[in-house]
Structures are given as structure tokens and as C-alpha cells.
Amino acid sequence: MSHYKNIALIGAGNVAWHLAQALQAAGHRVSAIYSRTAAHSQELAQRLPHAIPVSAPDFRGTSVDAVFLAVPDAALATVAAEVKVAPGTLVVHTSGSQPLDVLQTIAGAQVGVFYPLQTFSKSKPVDFEQVPLLVEAQDEATLKELELLAQGISRQVQRVDSATRKKLHLAAVFACNFTNHLFGISQQLLQEAQLPKDLLQPLIQETVSKAAQHDPFQVQTGPAARRDENVIAAHQHMLEAHPRYLELYKALTQSIRAGKE
Amino acid sequence: MSHYKNIALIGAGNVAWHLAQALQAAGHRVSAIYSRTAAHSQELAQRLPHAIPVSAPDFRGTSVDAVFLAVPDAALATVAAEVKVAPGTLVVHTSGSQPLDVLQTIAGAQVGVFYPLQTFSKSKPVDFEQVPLLVEAQDEATLKELELLAQGISRQVQRVDSATRKKLHLAAVFACNFTNHLFGISQQLLQEAQLPKDLLQPLIQETVSKAAQHDPFQVQTGPAARRDENVIAAHQHMLEAHPRYLELYKALTQSIRAGKE
């Protein structure tokens, strides 16, 4: 028996969009797409040579042997409760924040998690080879199967259980969600100073590259790290028009200082 | 008269190191290097075909027609007070946080600022063409001269006065110093979960690239942006062992939420 799968996709959003094409390119056959918004499943099916949009997530009596649930976190439990499969079908979700357990309502399924650690937009091509794929399953045989599948489309495959994936998600909130907010504040300050918004891009790139190569705490620079009280006081004065950013400035400065103690 | 300069460098640290080589490559002649640490000026002079280390920053009676002060911010005023030049010599500093005024003690000099907006390490090559150079001077003729000099080594030259440069510096603290601290926290959390520290790199790169192309506030994702109280509560619980990071989590989450109101 070939290890290539006959796959059904549930969801037709950003993750499903890129994942479907990566699975297809790796030699699998994406044969069915279900979305609560029929127009979305039709649009994605048109991109795939063998896929047809289906009107319900019921794959009993079909040749589908793997189902990928790529739906929003908040919808996952509800959609999972509707899924019907033949016994022994592989069913995985693609969420970083949801546990494996959420799929346990699906009778007869071999369940797992297949989490691509990246943010996707339909309009932007993705090199899936570079996307870390985090896999989890309830038994070793399913885990091996998932691993093989993942290794077919990415060079970075990692076994991560639900508890560890939660910790990873928290780390990602700091490294990505929170930094994005700081980039927003920075761009607003540039705009208010009538400076081009891309002026800091080379410095940001270098900061990211340095943090990847060293311990960021060790290469920390800036007024907080060198305890330059004059500059800190001047910055706080400049932020008086933005009390919310002033609070963040104080909290981050204090944390950097405390880390240097 | 050629627009190429006969240049003296004061300082032999990271900025001086890269700037000297970029000036030389652009056709200028770096003929003298002064550093309070003689070994540093000797080391840098060896890299430059025409440069000799000098024992004092006194360039009266020499053919030097431009002096670059690339010394730490905190040392700038002290070092500037020792500089002696022939009347009409161009004297610039390379600091982002210090005003033009700090050079006013230098008798006879045409003073200016020549600020490379990047972070440098001696061990890492720099493509100076991509480094934004921010220039300032007291009169238009000096400013034009500086601009021409800057355009010889970088494709991104910008006139920025001292008050605006201060605002830029504050924006850089948010976009670089503070984000670096968050990268440090994130790496620590990964380490504690026994996950590889580079696992989030693709996601960080995509976050930076997205923030450069869009308004970061508009593309903000994560539990704070979608007000996912369950995930936020779980994260805060996980951070109980790190009260300092918990405080930052709360402050950043609150600021993201307030921005969405």
C-alpha cells in the first residue's frame, strides 16, 4: 500500500489554502473540500486537480483515508462534532492552541495534530519546506504515519505534545504578537515625527538576526540596559501624550533593568 | 577642488570600524585615527592603507579636512572638548541620541551629525549602501556637503534635525530594544519547554515582514486581539513562575485590547 493519502480538507481559509497545495505537490491526492462557506470550498477546489467541494463533512463510504481540519480555533470543537469517517481514518487538526482531545468525539478516527507554525495569507506564497510542522498523536503508529506525511512537505518536523504546544504558543505570543504591537507603536511614533515608516527596517532586521544568533538578554542594548537615566527621563516626557505607551515603556524598561541585576 | 576628503577618525569601536572602511571604499582618504585605547587605533589603522594612529585629537597644521567622532554617547562631550582643528574643518559626530550642540565647544569647526541608523559588530560585515544615514548641520552649505558625502556610501540619506532624531531614537527603542527583550523572554520559555530556540524564527521573520508591509495595528493577531479570555487566563497561569514576565504580559495584552476599542 502506498503511503500517499487520499485527503479530505475541512476548511478553506488561509491554512487550508496553502496546506492543500503543499499536500498535492508532495504527491497526495486532495479529493474533497468541505467549508461552511460553499463559495470558499469551490474557490479552493478550482486550484486542485482532483478536488470537489462537498456539502457535509461525512466521508463514510468514500475512499478518503485522511482528513485535515483547518478551521478557526473557536470553531474547531463544533466542526469536529459533525465529522463522520470510516473506521481507521486519520483525522488531524492544524491548531496551535487546541489540544488533541478536541477530536475525541469523532468515532473510529485515528486522531492527531498537524500544526504548521507559521502565519499564512492567501495572497502570499509560502515555502512549506521552511515551515516547522509540529505533530502529535495518541499512539506511536499514528505518530509515525503523521511524521512521514509531514516530512514529505517540510524539512522541520518535530514531535510536540499538547502541553508543550501550549508553552510554545505562549512563547510565540511574546515573540510575535507582542513584538507586532511594539512595531505598531514604533511606526506611529515615526509617523508623528514625519519620518518614513520604513526607516527602522534595517535596524529591525539586524535586531532579529542578532537575537537568533545570540542570547538576546546578553546582546541587549539601549537606555534601559545601560541605565541611562537622562535618556529614559526624556523618553518618558516625550510619551506624555500617549499614556498607554508610557506604561509599556516603564514596564519594559523595568524588566530589562531587573534582568541586568 | 575634489569633494574627496582627507579624514581623521576619533574612536575605533564598532561604528568607527565599519565607517572607516566604507569611507575608504568610497574614495576618501582616512589618514589618522585617534582612540583613548591606543591598541584599538593601531588595530583599525592596520586595516586602512593610509591611516596612522595618532596620540591626541589635534589636527591643526595637518591636511585633515573632516573629522568623524565615533565614540560612545556618554564620552562624546568629554572627547569633543579635546578636539582641535584648523578653521573650516568639518567635524561630525555619529550618535543617534546626542544633539548637534555637543560639538559647539570645537573652535573654528563646521559641525554636523552623520548618524548611521544601524547596530554594528566588528565581526559582522555591513552593507553600508543599505544603512540609513541621517545628516544634520548648522548651515545649509555644511548640510549639502554632508549629504554629498553620505550619498557616496549609502542609498538612504535623510536630513533629520536633533529634535526629530530624538523621536526616532524613541521609536527605535520600541521597535528594537524592547522587541529584543521580548525575544529573550520567548527564548527562555522555549528553553524551559525543552523546545529548540530557533523554532519560532520563521514565524518571527514573517511577523517582521508583515509589519513592514501593513499597518501592524491592523494585522495584529493573537489572544489579546481576538479577546480570547480562556487562552489569556491559561497564559497568565503559566507565567506565575515569572512574575516580571506576567506583568509585561498583562500590560501588553491590555494595550493591544485598548487599541482595538
Side-chain angles (χ1 to χ4, degrees):
Chain A
M1 191 190 129
S2 159
H3 75 275
Y4 293 108
K5 301 283 181 195
N6 184 358
I7 292 172
L9 258 177
I10 299 181
N14 295 326
V15 174
W17 189 265
H18 289 286
L19 187 59
Q21 298 181 54
L23 288 165
Q24 189 77 45
H28 302 285
R29 184 186 178 93
V30 179
S31 61
I33 300 172
Y34 169 71
S35 165
R36 285 177 298 176
T37 313
H40 292 169
S41 49
Q42 279 161 19
E43 200 191 351
L44 177 52
Q46 280 165 10
R47 300 253 166 170
L48 300 163
H50 312 292
I52 51 163
V54 296
S55 57
D58 184 348
F59 306 104
R60 293 172 299 186
T62 71
S63 57
V64 162
D65 50 23
V67 177
F68 282 72
L69 275 113
V71 301
D73 291 0
L76 187 54
T78 315
V79 176
E82 297 168 19
V83 174
K84 307 270 185 270
V85 295
T89 303
L90 182 66
V91 180
V92 297
H93 75 65
T94 60
S95 164
S97 73
Q98 298 300 304
L100 176 56
D101 292 355
V102 75
L103 301 182
Q104 271 179 334
T105 51
I106 307 175
Q110 275 185 285
V111 296
V113 179
F114 190 96
Y115 170 45
L117 183 54
Q118 186 51 285
T119 171
F120 300 98
S121 316
K122 280 185 193 173
S123 58
K124 213 174 164 197
V126 171
D127 179 5
F128 239 97
E129 284 211 338
Q130 308 298 333
V131 175
L133 287 178
L134 311 187
V135 294
E136 179 184 11
Q138 264 174 330
D139 58 84
E140 181 64 23
T142 309
L143 192 51
K144 282 240 169 80
E145 201 180 336
L146 266 180
E147 224 166 18
L148 193 69
L149 217 160
Q151 284 160 354
I153 62 176
S154 166
R155 271 186 278 171
Q156 283 204 64
V157 177
Q158 185 96 18
R159 293 178 173 204
V160 174
D161 64 26
S162 291
T164 307
R165 203 169 55 249
K166 253 174 98 168
K167 292 178 190 168
L168 172 65
H169 187 233
L170 176 58
V173 166
F174 276 94
C176 301
N177 298 155
F178 288 166
T179 55
N180 179 72
H181 185 61
L182 298 182
F183 292 146
I185 293 172
S186 169
Q187 284 190 20
Q188 185 181 345
L189 295 173
L190 288 177
Q191 201 173 17
E192 287 174 6
Q194 294 180 297
L195 286 164
K197 83 180 193 94
D198 60 355
L199 196 55
L200 288 170
Q201 279 309 309
L203 189 54
I204 290 172
Q205 281 297 345
E206 188 66 19
T207 301
V208 170
S209 144
K210 226 181 218 178
Q213 286 158 17
H214 304 89
D215 173 358
F217 291 146
Q218 295 299 320
V219 297
Q220 181 71 53
T221 60
R226 63 173 188 269
R227 295 168 173 279
D228 191 333
E229 304 300 339
N230 290 334
V231 170
I232 293 169
H235 283 171
Q236 295 192 356
H237 180 70
M238 287 160 76
L239 285 170
E240 273 168 10
H242 297 294
R244 191 146 56 81
Y245 304 159
L246 178 58
E247 284 316 303
L248 287 183
Y249 187 97
K250 286 179 182 170
L252 285 155
T253 294
Q254 206 209 321
S255 183
I256 292 171
R257 275 169 159 172
K260 294 268 162 192
E261 265 159 16
Chain B
M1 190 190 130
S2 160
H3 76 274
Y4 293 109
K5 301 285 182 194
N6 184 356
I7 292 172
L9 258 178
I10 299 182
N14 295 327
V15 174
W17 190 265
H18 290 286
L19 188 58
Q21 298 180 53
L23 288 165
Q24 189 77 45
H28 303 285
R29 183 184 177 95
V30 179
S31 61
I33 300 173
Y34 168 71
S35 165
R36 283 178 297 176
T37 312
H40 293 169
S41 48
Q42 278 160 23
E43 200 193 348
L44 178 51
Q46 280 166 11
R47 299 254 166 169
L48 301 162
H50 313 292
I52 50 164
V54 297
S55 58
D58 184 348
F59 306 103
R60 291 171 301 183
T62 71
S63 57
V64 162
D65 51 24
V67 176
F68 282 72
L69 277 114
V71 300
D73 291 359
L76 186 54
T78 315
V79 176
E82 297 168 19
V83 175
K84 307 271 185 268
V85 295
T89 303
L90 183 66
V91 179
V92 297
H93 76 65
T94 60
S95 163
S97 74
Q98 298 300 305
L100 176 56
D101 290 355
V102 77
L103 302 181
Q104 271 180 335
T105 51
I106 307 173
Q110 276 185 284
V111 297
V113 179
F114 190 95
Y115 171 45
L117 183 54
Q118 187 50 285
T119 172
F120 300 99
S121 317
K122 280 184 191 171
S123 58
K124 211 172 165 197
V126 171
D127 178 4
F128 239 97
E129 283 210 340
Q130 308 296 333
V131 175
L133 287 177
L134 311 188
V135 294
E136 179 185 12
Q138 265 174 330
D139 57 84
E140 181 64 22
T142 308
L143 192 51
K144 282 241 167 81
E145 203 180 335
L146 268 179
E147 223 166 18
L148 193 68
L149 217 159
Q151 284 160 353
I153 63 177
S154 166
R155 269 184 278 171
Q156 282 206 62
V157 177
Q158 186 98 16
R159 294 179 173 203
V160 174
D161 63 27
S162 291
T164 307
R165 201 168 58 251
K166 256 174 96 169
K167 292 177 190 168
L168 173 65
H169 186 233
L170 176 58
V173 166
F174 276 94
C176 300
N177 299 155
F178 289 166
T179 55
N180 180 72
H181 186 61
L182 298 181
F183 292 146
I185 294 171
S186 168
Q187 284 190 19
Q188 186 181 344
L189 296 173
L190 289 177
Q191 202 172 18
E192 288 174 6
Q194 295 180 296
L195 286 164
K197 82 179 192 93
D198 58 356
L199 196 55
L200 287 170
Q201 280 307 310
L203 188 55
I204 290 172
Q205 281 297 344
E206 187 66 18
T207 302
V208 170
S209 143
K210 226 182 221 179
Q213 286 158 17
H214 304 89
D215 174 357
F217 291 146
Q218 295 300 320
V219 297
Q220 181 71 51
T221 58
R226 61 173 188 267
R227 296 170 174 276
D228 190 332
E229 303 301 338
N230 290 334
V231 171
I232 292 169
H235 284 171
Q236 296 192 354
H237 180 69
M238 288 161 76
L239 285 170
E240 272 168 12
H242 297 295
R244 191 146 56 81
Y245 304 160
L246 178 58
E247 283 316 302
L248 288 183
Y249 187 97
K250 286 179 181 170
L252 284 155
T253 295
Q254 206 209 321
S255 183
I256 292 171
R257 275 169 160 172
K260 294 268 162 190
E261 264 160 16

